[in-house]
Amino acid sequence: MTADRSLKPLAGASALALLAILAGGALLSLAIEAMGGRTEGFATFDSYLWRIARFTLVQALLSMLLSVALAVPLARALHAHPAFPGRAMILRLFALPLALPALVAVLGITSIYGRNGLLAATFRALGLDAIPDIYGLTGILIAHVFFNLPLATRLILSGLDSIPEDYWKLASQLGMNGWARFRLIEWPVIGRNLSGIAGLIFMLCITSFTIVLTLGGGPRATTLEVAIYQALHFDFDIARAVSLTLLQLCLTIAVLAVLGLSGRPAEEGFSLHTATRRFDRPPLGAKLLDGGLILFGLVFVGLPIAGTVVSGLAADLLRLLSERPVWQAILTSLILGASAAALSLIISLALVMAREYLANERRDAPPTLFERALDLGASLIMVVPPIVIGAGWFILSRHFVDPFSLAPIMVVSVNAAMAIPFAFRILRPSWDTAASRHNRLCAQLGIAGWNRLRLIDWPALARPLGVAFAFAMALSLGDLGTIALFGNNSIQTLPFLLLQRMGSYRTEDAAGLALILGFLCLLLMIIADRGASRLARTESGNNG
Amino acid sequence: MRPFNTLVKSAILAGALALGLTAPAKAEGKLTVYTYESFTAEWGPGPKVKEAFEKQCGCTVEFVAVTDGVALLNRLKLEGPSTKADVVLGLDTNLTYEASETGLFAPHGIDTSAISIPGGYQDDTFVPFDYGYFAVIYDTEKLKNPPGSLKELVEGDPKQKIVIEDPRTSTPGLGLLLWVKSVYGDKAGEAWDKLKDRVLTVTPGWSEAYGLFTKGEAPLVLSYTTSPAYHIVAEKTDRYKAAPFEEGHYLQVEVAGQTANGAKNPLSAQFLTFMTSPAFQDAIPENNWMFPAAKTSTALNPAFETLVKPAKTLILSPEEVSKNRKAWIDEWLSAMSL
């Protein structure tokens, strides 16, 4: 083995350590601060906590199942029709919900399914006496599927894209029907990544806060995250906040452990990758079904976004775009988002490379704890509430530096950490596939280090890297940051400005800013798609 | 998705304002004021207050803004005695007892005779700068017969929905909880049990509730008596009105105080005195959308004259609120969760 390969586990370990320090440091510092303070701790670990813990799990599991169950056929349909009209635009649209602040999404969803929404208007127009009532579990599930169906679809699709073209050629030559193709070709790839994707969605939903409270209809719908916020913010009971965070972590690990059992890794064959082209000619029935599925996905995701766009267009966009604070916020968001995305990509790549290296080295032995940690551990950062990380580091740093000056660093690192699970899942299938195809060849030819990265890995990775960067940046663009406690006078992001206007009656301004935010995100996806494919083309052109 | 979006608004100031703030200090004195962020927003009272006081004192005012009044107190607790704050502006009366208990505040020692708050306000540590009443706002296009009392709200048609805020996460939510408590007393649990059917949803903060209301999701929302003034002045519409309640309205008083550290800075007391003068108070009504706590230099905008004038002012003592808040929230939870 060459030196560069043996460095991979070290890189992975460092990446993991970084995340552990970010979350663990905050928790530890809070725990120390809490000692000697007055606390309720788990004293009221009563029926209330039990109830909200149960509700948290149930809504997250249901949201996850629904999102994944819909995403698998949708991703298959999108993959089977590379020439579906507007396909590229649909995929970009699917990245938008990620960048929308929860409140904007909630208002978009109510503009369709609410008591005064499009659906209600349709009922009225049809002379029906029904008012849609989504407040409760229904509303929560609609919102969570709105956020996660497009995400899951894109992630599954990126797995399907890593299937070598020869498979489809062969399947078509052998005259495989749809079911056989699914079972023999698609499922091994989907299944291998599915538990990870499901886990990611589960974690996103377990920490849901604004959506659960606003659409939940009352305190019956309360998540642990609400209790953590309440403990830290309203009650200033640090010990309780730490205990609840640990409880949330443990529950998540338990559920992920159960989920992990289902994803049996399959071995992958060796093939030279060209552009994915499907050779199968689906029968008309399948075509119609796939078309219907894609249309459903488009309508389901597109309508609330359209609602947001309509409200946004009612705003005085010209005035907004002539305001200096708006431009400053756009600039701040772009700079912070790009930094977070870059950092997140570096860490994710280290994790992905180390995991594949270890998996490759152990051959048929069961994965070690370290390998599993590389896979899942990084994602756990998502269930440590940003307010907890913020408070912990505030306490820790106030003795050494002015906490205000740390604000940009904290925003970037927390946003980067939160984006890692996404970036990791986008990069992993491509990296693993590329590695399994090239490892032996490269070893035979003695291609390693920089040369291998430039000639072999880069062409295969350029596109997923571009997509992962855009995703991570979109996620950071929509995020408010963790800096409630790191008050700082010089950073003001776009979502911050949006919520500030929303919080002072300026609803129209807020809608206009949401439109600008969505537009930025779409632009980002387009640039990433175009740029990455061009890069990949030039590189492979050079090779040939 | 990003769960804390609406609540943990990052505590940062308006960009334009920040530029002004980071300008080099022009005089020797500097006053650091911790406050909430809507106070320092470009349309908030902050910029005007800063300009007026800096002219008067020949010093520099630095604002540090956090999400809201609760975050303000938390911030202070985290920083402890070494806090940089000279003055803390923006706590409300539900927080003053807890704030005094921290021992981080010093008596103000100023003449507060200019202050005029309904029901009176006397405190050695905190000085009020504005006040407002909680109120149920209704949409006149959707609702012809708004409830005339809290009782009518509680017992009225459950099909006419109201959006309220959560007392576990927001100040208005806690306000409604105390309002119901001061009217119903021991029967508050039963009242909530009845009101429950009328509640469309309970949002984490004011923005979500008011957003759903203006989207037309419900004809009623919990807000302030001053909310219609914004719509009249800024949007030239009187579509949204506050419903006057027979039992009276619950009062929210916003206060400021100097920290023990700040007491060593003579500018702190000077600022608190300035706060009771028209130069400060002028910035309150149409920037903070609250009632001024002392005289303004000119009469208020006529829109304020059209607002509901509560028949009775309801308020519980800070100590009582602080000691019972948890028990009352538990009562609310069990009534609302059934």
Side-chain angles (χ1 to χ4, degrees):
Chain A
M1 279 297 124
T2 50
D4 95 292
R5 301 218 77 203
S6 57
L7 279 178
K8 283 177 183 168
L10 187 67
S14 321
L16 216 51
L18 219 67
L19 293 173
I21 290 172
L22 187 66
L27 281 170
L28 196 69
S29 111
L30 283 176
I32 293 169
E33 176 81 13
M35 276 194 275
R38 240 175 349 130
T39 175
E40 232 179 284
F42 276 154
T44 48
F45 198 104
D46 47 13
S47 56
Y48 170 63
L49 262 190
W50 161 238
R51 211 170 55 219
I52 63 171
R54 199 179 46 191
F55 181 82
T56 307
L57 288 178
V58 168
Q59 60 84 16
L61 281 170
L62 282 175
S63 307
M64 175 196 86
L65 287 175
L66 265 175
S67 307
V68 171
L70 291 169
V72 170
L74 184 54
R76 285 191 67 216
L78 281 165
H79 190 258
H81 303 278
F84 194 85
R87 183 180 181 270
M89 220 47 212
I90 294 176
L91 287 182
R92 283 170 200 146
L93 186 77
F94 274 20
L96 276 191
L98 209 59
L100 290 183
L103 175 53
V104 173
V106 163
L107 292 179
I109 284 166
T110 53
S111 71
I112 305 302
Y113 307 102
R115 294 165 60 85
N116 196 31
L118 187 68
L119 196 63
T122 315
F123 284 175
R124 268 199 307 277
L126 294 176
L128 293 172
D129 193 28
I131 302 172
D133 184 16
I134 54 162
Y135 296 91
L137 193 59
T138 324
I140 297 173
L141 292 181
I142 290 178
H144 283 168
V145 174
F146 167 73
F147 271 117
N148 296 306
L149 170 65
L151 173 71
T153 305
R154 285 203 60 149
L155 289 175
I156 294 172
L157 194 61
S158 97
L160 287 174
D161 281 340
S162 72
I163 296 176
E165 194 178 274
D166 327 6
Y167 283 35
W168 302 113
K169 215 182 273 177
L170 208 59
S172 149
Q173 281 159 1
L174 292 175
M176 280 189 193
N177 63 14
W179 171 244
R181 271 200 306 275
F182 176 67
R183 202 166 49 88
L184 297 172
I185 301 178
E186 294 167 337
W187 178 249
V189 177
I190 297 177
R192 187 176 49 219
N193 299 315
L194 200 61
S195 67
I197 295 168
L200 177 66
I201 295 174
F202 176 76
M203 285 186 282
L204 282 167
C205 296
I206 212 171
T207 53
S208 194
F209 184 104
T210 300
I211 288 171
V212 166
L213 278 187
T214 309
L215 292 175
R220 259 162 307 180
T222 296
T223 48
L224 279 170
E225 194 93 3
V226 176
I228 295 171
Y229 178 82
Q230 185 192 359
L232 199 58
H233 188 76
F234 248 54
D235 301 340
F236 203 68
D237 187 340
I238 296 177
R240 189 172 155 91
V242 172
S243 336
L244 288 172
T245 305
L246 292 176
L247 176 69
Q248 179 158 302
L249 264 170
C250 292
L251 282 176
T252 309
I253 293 172
V255 171
L256 291 182
V258 174
L259 278 179
L261 296 175
S262 60
R264 282 269 142 255
E267 279 307 313
E268 185 133 11
F270 170 81
S271 156
L272 282 171
H273 185 67
T274 50
T276 304
R277 232 179 81 202
R278 294 277 296 247
F279 292 85
D280 45 329
R281 300 252 180 279
L284 187 66
K287 256 189 186 162
L288 284 177
L289 183 69
D290 284 350
L293 270 168
I294 298 175
L295 210 62
F296 161 78
L298 177 63
V299 167
F300 183 79
V301 178
L303 276 183
I305 294 180
T308 312
V309 172
V310 170
S311 334
L313 289 176
D316 192 348
L317 286 169
L318 282 179
R319 176 180 52 76
L320 275 178
L321 286 173
S322 68
E323 284 180 26
R324 229 175 91 189
V326 172
W327 283 106
Q328 267 169 346
I330 291 175
L331 199 65
T332 309
S333 283
L334 287 177
I335 293 171
L336 290 179
S339 320
L343 183 61
S344 148
L345 237 54
I346 292 169
I347 299 178
S348 306
L349 207 54
L351 292 168
V352 167
M353 284 178 5
R355 200 212 63 85
E356 179 269 325
Y357 174 77
L358 289 174
N360 197 39
E361 287 293 291
R362 73 176 152 82
R363 296 176 202 283
D364 293 328
T368 57
L369 197 63
F370 178 46
E371 188 191 325
R372 279 174 188 279
L374 287 170
D375 206 348
L376 267 184
S379 311
L380 285 175
I381 187 93
M382 294 182 62
V383 288
V384 181
I387 188 180
V388 169
I389 297 181
W393 280 97
F394 182 91
I395 291 171
L396 205 62
S397 63
R398 75 192 147 154
H399 301 298
F400 313 106
V401 288
D402 175 7
F404 302 128
S405 63
L406 273 184
I409 300 172
M410 284 308 295
V411 177
V412 168
S413 37
V414 173
N415 278 348
M418 298 291 165
I420 286 170
F422 298 84
F424 182 87
R425 294 207 159 71
I426 294 170
L427 295 178
R428 192 188 141 177
S430 306
W431 176 268
D432 287 4
T433 308
S436 74
R437 275 180 218 152
H438 305 318
N439 276 351
R440 269 169 272 183
L441 189 68
C442 288
Q444 277 169 0
L445 299 177
I447 305 177
W450 174 244
N451 279 335
R452 169 163 180 177
L453 190 69
R454 194 171 59 88
L455 298 172
I456 311 289
D457 295 333
W458 173 247
L461 273 182
R463 200 182 148 76
L465 273 175
V467 174
F469 185 89
F471 255 78
M473 189 161 162
L475 194 73
S476 310
L477 278 186
D479 194 44
L480 267 170
T482 30
I483 42 174
L485 292 152
F486 288 84
N488 185 295
N489 300 341
S490 56
I491 329 175
Q492 189 179 33
T493 61
L494 205 51
F496 171 80
L497 201 66
L498 189 160
L499 289 179
Q500 200 185 37
R501 305 244 160 145
M502 187 88 206
S504 44
Y505 298 103
R506 289 162 175 80
T507 322
E508 278 194 357
D509 277 16
L513 291 172
L515 188 63
I516 295 174
L517 188 63
F519 179 74
L520 277 181
C521 176
L522 203 61
L523 209 62
L524 191 68
M525 290 295 152
I526 293 174
I527 294 172
D529 281 355
R530 296 251 162 97
S533 358
R534 186 165 309 146
L535 274 174
R537 259 204 310 281
T538 4
E539 279 296 323
S540 48
N542 289 346
N543 294 345
Chain B
M1 187 80 3
R2 286 156 298 282
F4 287 92
N5 270 355
T6 55
L7 286 151
V8 186
K9 296 189 215 160
S10 41
I12 36 186
L13 279 174
L17 184 63
L19 281 179
L21 289 176
T22 44
K26 34 187 183 285
E28 61 274 31
K30 189 181 134 185
L31 181 76
T32 304
V33 179
Y34 281 18
T35 184
Y36 52 80
E37 60 196 22
S38 65
F39 192 86
T40 57
E42 70 238 47
W43 55 79
K48 292 190 173 118
V49 163
K50 178 179 154 72
E51 200 192 329
F53 187 64
E54 284 181 346
K55 214 178 276 168
Q56 193 193 84
C57 68
C59 64
T60 311
V61 174
E62 191 190 356
F63 283 124
V64 173
V66 299
T67 322
D68 56 19
V70 183
L72 203 53
L73 182 56
N74 288 346
R75 175 60 168 269
L76 215 61
K77 285 182 186 168
L78 283 178
E79 292 186 344
S82 65
T83 179
K84 282 198 217 159
D86 293 316
V87 168
V88 176
L89 182 148
L91 301 172
D92 72 11
T93 38
N94 294 330
L95 296 168
T96 50
Y97 180 77
E98 250 178 283
S100 303
E101 292 286 283
T102 61
L104 297 170
F105 285 91
H108 56 71
I110 64 158
D111 173 19
T112 58
S113 55
I115 297 289
S116 150
I117 297 283
Y121 186 91
Q122 272 304 319
D123 194 274
D124 293 337
T125 310
F126 297 104
V127 185
F129 64 91
D130 67 14
Y131 68 91
Y133 292 99
F134 291 109
V136 169
I137 305 295
Y138 69 99
D139 182 347
T140 53
E141 286 178 15
K142 295 256 170 72
L143 206 60
K144 298 298 166 209
N145 305 306
S149 64
L150 197 59
K151 190 164 181 289
E152 276 181 39
L153 177 74
V154 167
E155 293 172 4
D157 180 5
K159 282 204 206 97
Q160 298 295 349
K161 298 287 183 192
I162 182 170
V163 182
I164 63 169
E165 294 87 348
D166 198 316
R168 293 172 296 175
T169 50
S170 79
T171 308
L174 184 60
L176 181 62
L177 184 90
L178 300 175
W179 194 358
V180 172
K181 195 78 207 172
S182 45
V183 169
Y184 282 88
D186 293 342
K187 298 254 171 30
E190 292 159 41
W192 279 112
D193 191 39
K194 269 187 212 146
L195 183 59
K196 186 182 66 194
D197 293 336
R198 238 187 139 159
V199 173
L200 179 69
T201 194
V202 183
T203 65
W206 180 90
S207 302
E208 293 87 358
Y210 215 76
L212 287 178
F213 170 68
T214 47
K215 272 238 165 220
E217 284 293 290
L220 297 159
V221 67
L222 177 77
S223 187
Y224 295 89
T225 53
T226 41
S227 298
Y230 176 83
H231 296 291
I232 296 172
V233 174
E235 296 172 353
K236 316 273 178 261
T237 170
D238 55 0
R239 176 175 172 182
Y240 304 112
K241 288 201 159 88
F245 278 5
E246 242 169 55
E247 299 94 339
H249 289 244
Y250 198 85
L251 181 70
Q252 184 187 27
V253 182
E254 294 196 291
V255 302
Q258 58 176 348
T259 61
N261 260 349
K264 293 171 205 145
N265 183 350
L267 289 171
S268 303
Q270 195 187 335
F271 182 82
L272 292 178
T273 308
F274 164 77
M275 207 172 74
T276 66
S277 74
F280 179 104
Q281 293 293 325
D282 282 349
I284 291 297
E286 284 175 60
N287 295 100
N288 226 24
W289 300 100
M290 294 284 268
F291 290 106
K295 279 205 177 65
T296 51
S297 54
T298 52
L300 298 191
N301 187 306
F304 281 82
E305 287 307 306
T306 65
L307 302 180
V308 162
K309 294 175 190 65
K312 204 179 144 197
T313 297
L314 304 172
I315 191 161
L316 298 165
S317 84
E319 191 178 350
E320 199 182 352
V321 173
S322 171
K323 291 193 168 148
N324 293 302
R325 186 168 58 90
K326 268 191 190 143
W328 291 343
I329 285 180
D330 284 344
E331 179 185 58
W332 176 85
L333 267 177
S334 56
M336 293 289 291
S337 300
L338 280 179

